[in-house]
Amino acid sequence: MLAGTISTCILIVFPMPSIDLAYEAAIPTEIPKVSGVEKKIILLKPRGFCAGVVRAIDVVKIALDLYGGPIYVRKEIVHNRHVVEELRQAGAIFVEELGEVPEGARVIFSAHGVSPAVREEAKQRRLQVIDATCPLVTKVHLEAVKLAKKGYTIVLIGHRDHDEVIGTLGEAPEWTILVSDVNDVDRLQIKDPDRVAYLTQTTLSLDETKDIVNRLLERFPKIMGPKTQDICYATENRQLAVKAVAPLCQALLVVGSQNSSNSRRLVEVCEKSGVPAYLLDDCSEVESRMLQNVDTVAVTAGASAPEHLVEELIAHLRSRGYANLEEAEIKEEDVRFTLPSDLEKFTPRLHTLRI
């Protein structure tokens, strides 16, 4: 085992003795070499599903198992094309708005949360709601409500069109101002600079958010922040892993969909380190140019990307000459969220329902 320290993170890299049987069959018996160089994959850990994503997928699967179809899901349950398609094939019906759901039907709210207006619409249409909102997103919503009741102007740091931000803005729209970068902060006009607070989207870049918060503190020295940061633990851990490994590779491949905010941030973090990075839905999107002159390629996955897509990508890279596989673990994750109260008693059924 090789142990070292990079920046403030502990990097543990150890050779993996063999590839999992799930993708062993895809590895050719003769692995080509380029210019005599033995090429390597560094597989980042933690990667892939976070606790909120696992919980949301479980909610859909349990609901389908318990009630059968039709089960409607407002928006993508998580931002991953493959996950949505698998659940659609299992019987879930994905809709953009509640108007597409028959009155009185059963509907699931996605992990990104919804605004009070959406909840009220569901109530008016007598929909049977199952709420799969990530508890970390719910925390931000509750903070917004509490601050608004105390008369604080809320500066919400996030991306305007993201489902999570739309839901958070809806909690206290008359009290909330959205900013996406430092320039937005410079343009802010706050009625009472002594009563201002900030909240953040849970899937942002740590560095970018830090710059925005620092500028907020410069402009509004009395600004309040959350007692604990709003950025999700999984978002933070995956970004720290990318930062730690970037100096050791010539390219990073991130498994995740284009509309996944946390996956896109992994690409940005790596590129800011000076290393090219590419966001892929799956291994079919790997292009030769991505691996040109790359002897060591790092692989990770966004918080909504399933592990089987990582396995398929590893098999694809092995077929292209990347013979060695090492795993770099930055931080151990052991976070679990309970199911919504109306489904919690059905937890034992989960072992038969996993993707």
Side-chain angles (χ1 to χ4, degrees), residues 106-142:
R106 185 170 278 106
V107 64
I108 297 173
F109 292 155
S110 80
H112 307 103
V114 299
S115 69
V118 173
R119 296 183 187 278
E120 180 59 28
E121 183 184 358
K123 182 179 178 181
Q124 294 297 324
R125 303 190 69 247
R126 298 185 296 107
L127 300 179
Q128 302 174 64
V129 172
I130 303 173
D131 192 354
T133 301
C134 174
L136 299 181
V137 174
T138 299
K139 165 185 171 287
V140 178
H141 283 217
L142 294 175

Side-chain angles (χ1 to χ4, degrees), residues 45-51 232-238 303 329-336:
K45 185 178 180 181
R47 63 181 178 274
F49 282 174
C50 64
C232 160
Y233 76 94
T235 296
E236 177 178 6
N237 290 345
R238 282 149 189 72
E329 181 171 5
I330 303 304
K331 188 173 183 179
E332 185 177 355
E333 283 184 357
D334 187 23
V335 179
R336 294 178 177 83

Side-chain angles (χ1 to χ4, degrees), residues 138-148 154 198-200 226-228 230:
T138 299
K139 165 185 171 287
V140 178
H141 283 217
L142 294 175
E143 288 171 340
V145 172
K146 187 184 302 183
L147 289 166
I154 303 163
Y198 74 85
L199 300 172
T200 75
K227 291 182 180 178
T228 58
D230 292 333

Side-chain angles (χ1 to χ4, degrees), residues 213-282:
V213 170
N214 286 341
R215 183 63 180 132
L216 283 168
L217 287 167
E218 290 173 2
R219 288 209 59 198
F220 310 104
K222 294 185 178 181
I223 194 169
M224 285 178 46
K227 291 182 180 178
T228 58
Q229 74 167 22
D230 292 333
I231 293 179
C232 160
Y233 76 94
T235 296
E236 177 178 6
N237 290 345
R238 282 149 189 72
Q239 289 180 24
L240 291 176
V242 168
K243 282 186 176 183
V245 173
L248 308 179
C249 65
Q250 291 94 45
L252 170 72
L253 302 182
V254 179
V255 180
S257 291
Q258 291 294 329
N259 63 339
S260 167
S261 176
N262 76 86
S263 298
R264 292 176 70 90
R265 303 295 81 77
L266 296 177
V267 171
E268 291 173 3
V269 166
C270 189
E271 289 178 339
K272 285 182 179 179
S273 298
V275 176
Y278 308 96
L279 181 58
L280 313 169
D281 253 313
D282 53 52

Side-chain angles (χ1 to χ4, degrees), residues 37-284:
V37 176
E38 195 170 59
K39 299 191 288 185
K40 181 172 68 175
I41 305 165
I42 302 178
L43 183 59
L44 276 60
K45 185 178 180 181
R47 63 181 178 274
F49 282 174
C50 64
V53 166
V54 170
R55 177 180 183 268
I57 294 172
D58 285 346
V59 165
V60 178
K61 295 175 114 179
I62 290 177
L64 286 168
D65 184 57
L66 284 176
Y67 307 116
I71 298 288
Y72 294 86
V73 183
R74 183 184 180 274
K75 306 288 187 181
E76 292 187 346
I77 187 67
V78 297
H79 285 157
N80 185 271
R81 179 171 63 83
H82 287 273
V83 169
V84 169
E85 185 55 36
E86 287 175 9
L87 293 174
R88 181 180 284 117
Q89 291 179 8
I93 301 172
F94 290 89
V95 299
E96 283 299 304
E97 300 298 344
L98 293 184
E100 303 172 55
V101 181
E103 189 167 336
R106 185 170 278 106
V107 64
I108 297 173
F109 292 155
S110 80
H112 307 103
V114 299
S115 69
V118 173
R119 296 183 187 278
E120 180 59 28
E121 183 184 358
K123 182 179 178 181
Q124 294 297 324
R125 303 190 69 247
R126 298 185 296 107
L127 300 179
Q128 302 174 64
V129 172
I130 303 173
D131 192 354
T133 301
C134 174
L136 299 181
V137 174
T138 299
K139 165 185 171 287
V140 178
H141 283 217
L142 294 175
E143 288 171 340
V145 172
K146 187 184 302 183
L147 289 166
K149 286 181 178 179
K150 293 180 179 180
Y152 279 82
T153 297
I154 303 163
V155 179
L156 176 61
I157 304 170
H159 299 127
R160 182 173 300 279
D161 296 328
H162 193 275
D163 290 335
E164 178 188 329
V165 167
I166 293 169
T168 305
L169 282 170
E171 293 289 354
E174 67 279 13
W175 294 95
T176 309
I177 304 172
L178 180 67
V179 300
S180 299
D181 54 36
V182 172
N183 291 331
D184 287 343
V185 175
D186 290 338
R187 289 188 288 265
L188 280 176
Q189 298 295 324
I190 303 295
K191 181 172 62 175
D192 184 355
D194 292 335
R195 295 188 70 77
V196 59
Y198 74 85
L199 300 172
T200 75
Q201 181 181 333
T202 63
T203 55
L204 297 178
S205 159
L206 293 170
D207 290 340
E208 183 180 14
T209 304
K210 181 178 67 175
D211 291 341
I212 296 172
V213 170
N214 286 341
R215 183 63 180 132
L216 283 168
L217 287 167
E218 290 173 2
R219 288 209 59 198
F220 310 104
K222 294 185 178 181
I223 194 169
M224 285 178 46
K227 291 182 180 178
T228 58
Q229 74 167 22
D230 292 333
I231 293 179
C232 160
Y233 76 94
T235 296
E236 177 178 6
N237 290 345
R238 282 149 189 72
Q239 289 180 24
L240 291 176
V242 168
K243 282 186 176 183
V245 173
L248 308 179
C249 65
Q250 291 94 45
L252 170 72
L253 302 182
V254 179
V255 180
S257 291
Q258 291 294 329
N259 63 339
S260 167
S261 176
N262 76 86
S263 298
R264 292 176 70 90
R265 303 295 81 77
L266 296 177
V267 171
E268 291 173 3
V269 166
C270 189
E271 289 178 339
K272 285 182 179 179
S273 298
V275 176
Y278 308 96
L279 181 58
L280 313 169
D281 253 313
D282 53 52
C283 65
S284 69

